[in-house]
């Protein structure tokens, strides 16, 4: 059936209320307007940030269609779209790259001003909605809303990828992998022979380890309170692991002793203020670089003794691994296809889209690293 220019009715997982299961609904998806793209979803990962909306710790207007780590095929394009065409394999981008704003024009920065991360009200970039259900508009999430058989995104929020890319794995390049890997190779700029410490060995932490390894780090120390995470961390490149619960001494002191005064690079991939401070303390006072990757769920602040920085430490952070999204995602997909890094270590479960609530239970119970939902 030719769907171009028509409203498509399809299944989507709608969040109507906080802390309630997703409800599988028939939703109407409007055709793409100018500079928009409608995508048929093939695979989507479940990310902790989606769960933060479910619990309300990341405030968003409801009802909403969540999901932002995915891959699919272009179904149709709106007027003026030139960079993708129907049939192209694509990855929707939770951070756009508009090419117009001062951030996009800056050679290093990636936090495009068209991003919707800090906006509570999820909508398309023109402020309107493309989804409706039972006569009500549904909110978008991060300009992607991938928990739907079809979605509409802005052209600056989608990257065309290699025609042979396996969509059920490269979907992870849409969030977890890029966030972690880029934090090592692009944000920290890990150097060959260096010592790195990674706090938090979830999916994003594992991707940080992969980045440290690819950049040639000699020692990669994984830190997690859950020792079940150690085997996988070692498999993707950690050279040693430890739990802060195993010692009476603060873990920053244990690490300082182990690393001759502090690591070259440390990464906070837990999303807690205390581990952010521990990660900062655990990098070398004179030349260490500490990168904040995690985000504490509610707006919270840290207070800091400036001496920690005056001695020579660097403290930084970035979203999406500091990668400019449209430039980097197609290249990362090609690097994956040439074997530069593997993604299978991150995938612990694959479920049909209809079992989305089961997928979220696996995340909540800590059993999964990443669950991929297939359509
Ligand atoms: N010390 C050490 N490890 C700990 C501690 C602690 N005190 N507490 C928990 N942990 C461990 C857990 O056992 C777990 O293994 C790990 O930390 C966290 O892993 P996950 O699986 O819960 O989470 P990830 O890896 O999927 O994601 C972690 C982030 C912190 C990156 C994530 O929660 C986050 O903040 N994401 C937002 C960052 C971002 O850039 N988002 C952009 C769009 S998604
Ligand atoms: Zn995410």
């Amino acid at each position: 059936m030719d769907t171009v220019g028509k409203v498509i009715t399809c299944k989507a997982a709608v969040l109507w209320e906080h802390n309630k299961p997703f409800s599988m609904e028939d939703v109407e998806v409007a055709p793409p307007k100018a500079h928009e793209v409608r995508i048929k979803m093939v695979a989507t990962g479940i990310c902790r940030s989606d769960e933060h909306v479910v619990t309300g710790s990341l405030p968003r207007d409801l009802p909403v269609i969540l999901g932002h780590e995915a891959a699919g095929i272009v179904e149709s394009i709106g007027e003026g779209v030139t960079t993708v065409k129907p049939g192209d394999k694509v990855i929707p981008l939770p951070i756009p790259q508009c090419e117009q704003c001062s951030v996009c024009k800056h050679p290093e920065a990636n936090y495009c001003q068209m991003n919707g991360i800090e906006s509570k009200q999820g909508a398309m970039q023109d402020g309107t909605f493309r989804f409706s259900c039972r006569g009500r508009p549904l909110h978008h999430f991060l300009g992607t809303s991938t928990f739907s058989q079809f979605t509409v995104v802005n052209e600056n929020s989608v990257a065309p990828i290699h025609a042979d890319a396996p969509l059920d794995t490269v979907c992870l390049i849409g969030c977890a992998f890029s966030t972690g890997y880029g934090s090592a190779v692009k944000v920290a700029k890990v150097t060959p022979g260096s010592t790195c410490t990674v706090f938090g060995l979830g999916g994003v932490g594992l991707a940080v380890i992969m980045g440290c390894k690819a950049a040639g780090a000699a020692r990669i120390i994984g830190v997690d309170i859950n020792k079940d995470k150690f085997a996988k961390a070692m498999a993707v490149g950690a050279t040693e692991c430890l739990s802060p619960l195993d010692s009476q001494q603060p873990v920053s002191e244990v690490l300082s002793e182990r690393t001759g005064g502090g690591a070259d690079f440390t990464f906070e991939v837990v999303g807690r203020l205390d581990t952010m401070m521990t990660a900062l303390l655990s990098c070398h006072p004179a030349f260490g670089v500490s990168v904040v990757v995690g985000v504490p769920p509610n707006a919270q602040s840290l207070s800091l003794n400036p001496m920690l920085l005056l001695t020579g430490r660097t403290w930084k952070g970035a979203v999406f691994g500091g990668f400019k999204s449209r430039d980097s995602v197609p290249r990362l997909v090609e690097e994956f296809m040439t074997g530069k890094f593997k993604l299978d270590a991150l995938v612990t479960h694959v479920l049909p889209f209809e079992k989305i609530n089961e997928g979220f239970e696996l995340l909540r119970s800590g059993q999964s690293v990443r669950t991929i939902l297939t359509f």
Side-chain angles (χ1 to χ4, degrees):
M1 193 185 79
D2 187 15
T3 49
V4 176
K6 296 179 185 152
V7 171
I8 293 178
T9 301
C10 70
K11 296 281 179 212
V14 179
L15 184 73
W16 294 96
E17 282 179 78
H18 292 301
N19 297 309
K20 288 277 161 63
F22 292 92
S23 164
M24 203 51 85
E25 305 275 359
D26 285 321
V27 302
E28 289 87 49
V29 186
K33 291 190 183 174
H35 306 291
E36 293 177 358
V37 178
R38 191 160 59 182
I39 302 168
K40 183 179 196 303
M41 214 55 64
V42 174
T44 182
I46 297 178
C47 175
R48 180 78 48 187
S49 305
D50 301 308
E51 168 67 0
H52 286 334
V53 180
V54 176
T55 61
S57 62
L58 180 63
R60 294 288 138 148
D61 289 344
L62 305 183
V64 63
I65 298 183
L66 299 176
H68 61 279
E69 179 182 81
I73 294 171
V74 174
E75 174 269 339
S76 63
I77 55 176
E79 217 183 291
V81 170
T82 56
T83 55
V84 295
K85 58 180 186 313
D88 282 357
K89 287 187 177 174
V90 291
I91 290 184
L93 305 169
I95 309 236
Q97 186 181 339
C98 77
E99 309 279 6
Q100 310 295 323
C101 72
S102 59
V103 177
C104 285
K105 285 181 177 157
H106 189 284
E108 288 298 318
N110 75 329
Y111 195 62
C112 171
Q113 288 169 359
M114 298 305 283
N115 83 75
I117 293 183
E118 287 159 276
S119 140
K120 190 168 157 290
Q121 193 234 19
M124 295 299 288
Q125 285 171 14
D126 72 357
T128 63
F129 307 99
R130 299 293 167 274
F131 297 109
S132 62
C133 179
R134 304 187 209 165
R136 273 182 78 172
L138 302 173
H139 292 274
H140 295 249
F141 181 53
L142 299 177
T144 50
S145 293
T146 60
F147 294 160
S148 174
Q149 289 174 326
F150 288 85
T151 192
V152 179
V153 305
N154 284 91
E155 185 180 12
N156 59 28
S157 298
V158 61
I161 57 168
H162 197 289
D164 298 331
L167 299 183
D168 54 354
T169 3
V170 298
C171 59
L172 294 179
I173 293 173
C175 181
F177 176 77
S178 304
T179 300
Y181 191 82
S183 295
V185 303
K186 178 100 174 62
V187 184
K189 298 189 170 49
V190 167
T191 47
S194 61
T195 296
C196 301
T197 306
V198 181
F199 293 83
L201 304 176
V204 182
L206 295 177
V208 172
I209 293 175
M210 292 179 197
C212 294
K213 188 180 173 190
R219 276 181 84 186
I220 305 171
I221 307 171
V223 182
D224 202 299
I225 51 173
N226 179 354
K227 288 186 176 180
D228 294 343
K229 306 278 177 164
F230 292 176
K232 201 145 216 176
M234 299 293 285
V236 300
T239 55
E240 60 212 271
C241 288
L242 66 91
S243 166
L245 305 178
D246 278 355
S247 161
Q248 301 293 332
Q249 227 183 334
V251 69
S252 58
E253 286 178 27
V254 174
L255 286 162
S256 179
E257 282 168 17
R258 280 212 200 182
T259 57
D264 297 292
F265 303 97
T266 64
F267 300 87
E268 200 282 347
V269 209
V270 182
R272 293 172 56 98
L273 297 183
D274 60 336
T275 39
M276 283 173 199
M277 191 49 78
T278 305
L280 181 64
L281 288 167
S282 305
C283 77
H284 196 284
F287 51 76
V289 176
S290 188
V291 178
V292 174
V293 185
V295 181
N298 299 301
Q300 293 173 9
S301 302
L302 264 176
S303 71
L304 172 87
N305 178 344
M307 270 316 283
L308 291 175
L309 302 179
L310 284 166
T311 57
R313 286 183 177 92
T314 303
W315 201 18
K316 58 199 299 197
V319 296
F320 204 63
F323 286 127
K324 285 186 185 289
S325 58
R326 291 196 97 207
D327 291 348
S328 305
V329 163
R331 187 172 41 76
L332 287 167
V333 168
E334 292 193 13
E335 287 179 10
F336 165 72
M337 292 174 73
T338 58
K340 187 162 176 199
F341 54 82
K342 291 194 166 66
L343 291 169
D344 43 324
L346 302 180
V347 182
T348 49
H349 300 78
V350 180
L351 293 173
F353 176 51
E354 294 68 30
K355 296 199 172 169
I356 183 169
N357 288 312
E358 215 173 287
F360 272 81
E361 283 307 324
L362 290 165
L363 173 91
R364 290 171 193 137
S365 65
Q367 290 176 68
S368 58
V369 176
R370 267 304 196 259
T371 297
I372 308 289
L373 304 171
T374 54
F375 289 80

